[in-house]
Amino acid sequence: DGGITQSPKYLFRKEGQNVTLSCEQNLNHDAMYWYRQDPGQGLRLIYYSQIVNDFQKGDIAEGYSVSREKKESFPLTVTSAQKNPTAFYLCASSPSGANYGYTFGSGTRLTVV
Amino acid sequence: AQKVTQAQTEISVVEKEDVTLDCVYETRDTTYYLFWYKQPPSGELVFLIRRNSFDEQNEISGRYSWNFQKSTSSFNFTITASQVVDSAVYFCALSENRGLPGNTGKLIFGQGTTLQVKP
């Protein structure tokens, strides 16, 4: 079955450490996205990529980095520069353009300890 | 600029009540798509419906129905005879067409409405 896999489901990080969240899709979608969701808040776009080897900053890119070396994969690194990284992170993908909507992964809950 | 507004932050109803979630959008595009997603407590957003700007027919799927009115830029979602399993966060979204000046081909999400259905 096609879909998006995010791993791990839960992640704990010590302050000052970088951590990488995985996102893999087998839907042959061109575009991939990373969102952050805080309790009681909507979705805020971190980064997105509409083609391999290219990506753009979203609304809250500071403290995060991404890569898009393969069509199937769009990992997100939360760096130590991110001041408040504890949140729920959602990855999504879509065919070129958003007219068909997004398919979402099941999310990664990151907690800084 | 494109924008989606879900003015209702939280709604609480008792089981079997009908409930309507409001969604108002702004866009300069003549062709666009509107979506509703459900986010249950497990976290994953689940697709509910996609509607294009040229189709103003209301849609019904079981207990769910959607009312699209271009004249008021609204795409409201009604759950009839609500059930406890309907408790979730619901997001309305608008597609941003690539190729138009300033557009990047993303979905623009509203802030979400948290629906609590009490037994």
Side-chain angles (χ1 to χ4, degrees):
Chain A
D1 284 340
I4 297 184
T5 302
Q6 287 189 245
S7 60
K9 193 170 180 65
Y10 298 96
L11 189 56
F12 296 89
R13 189 195 89 173
K14 292 182 180 179
E15 283 195 32
Q17 285 183 339
N18 292 355
V19 63
T20 297
L21 282 60
S22 171
C23 178
E24 303 275 334
Q25 55 102 356
N26 60 4
L27 299 165
N28 199 33
H29 285 171
D30 289 315
M32 297 186 74
Y33 310 82
W34 274 105
Y35 284 88
R36 170 179 171 144
Q37 186 177 24
D38 294 283
Q41 295 194 29
L43 304 176
R44 293 188 288 169
L45 182 64
I46 304 172
Y47 269 98
Y48 63 103
S49 167
Q50 293 174 324
I51 195 168
V52 174
N53 292 323
D54 188 41
F55 48 83
Q56 287 78 41
K57 293 182 179 180
D59 302 317
I60 56 165
E62 186 175 349
Y64 299 96
S65 66
V66 293
S67 63
R68 187 86 186 277
E69 297 176 0
K70 298 186 300 180
K71 189 175 186 178
E72 302 80 16
S73 179
F74 192 42
L76 173 74
T77 296
V78 184
T79 75
S80 56
Q82 169 50 235
K83 299 302 180 191
N84 185 20
T86 295
F88 186 57
Y89 291 87
L90 282 160
C91 179
S93 70
S94 72
S96 182
N99 291 345
Y100 288 91
Y102 294 171
T103 300
F104 281 89
S106 56
T108 292
R109 192 166 299 279
L110 173 63
T111 303
V112 174
V113 297
Chain B
Q2 282 81 347
K3 184 179 178 182
V4 176
T5 302
Q6 295 180 253
Q8 303 150 309
T9 304
E10 293 185 21
I11 301 176
S12 181
V13 299
V14 177
E15 207 169 19
K16 297 184 182 176
E17 283 185 22
D18 299 346
V19 58
T20 295
L21 282 61
D22 297 333
C23 173
V24 174
Y25 63 92
E26 297 174 27
T27 181
R28 62 182 184 276
D29 297 346
T30 54
T31 301
Y32 52 89
Y33 292 80
L34 294 161
F35 303 82
W36 276 94
Y37 284 87
K38 174 182 180 180
Q39 185 181 37
S42 60
E44 181 176 348
L45 270 77
V46 177
F47 168 85
L48 294 178
I49 189 171
R50 166 181 175 256
R51 175 54 51 92
N52 78 52
S53 54
F54 295 106
D55 182 2
E56 289 194 67
Q57 275 193 324
N58 289 337
E59 176 133 354
I60 298 174
S61 176
R63 298 183 296 107
Y64 295 172
S65 63
W66 290 269
N67 183 343
F68 176 33
Q69 291 198 337
K70 233 172 165 177
S71 59
T72 56
S73 297
S74 65
F75 186 44
N76 296 338
F77 173 32
T78 297
I79 302 174
T80 303
S82 60
Q83 299 176 2
V84 172
V85 293
D86 295 327
S87 297
V89 182
Y90 291 86
F91 290 97
C92 180
L94 165 72
S95 69
E96 188 182 58
N97 281 326
R98 291 179 72 180
L100 294 179
N103 282 6
T104 54
K106 299 179 297 183
L107 279 187
I108 310 298
F109 286 90
Q111 285 299 101
T113 297
T114 300
L115 173 64
Q116 183 181 33
V117 181
K118 299 178 181 177

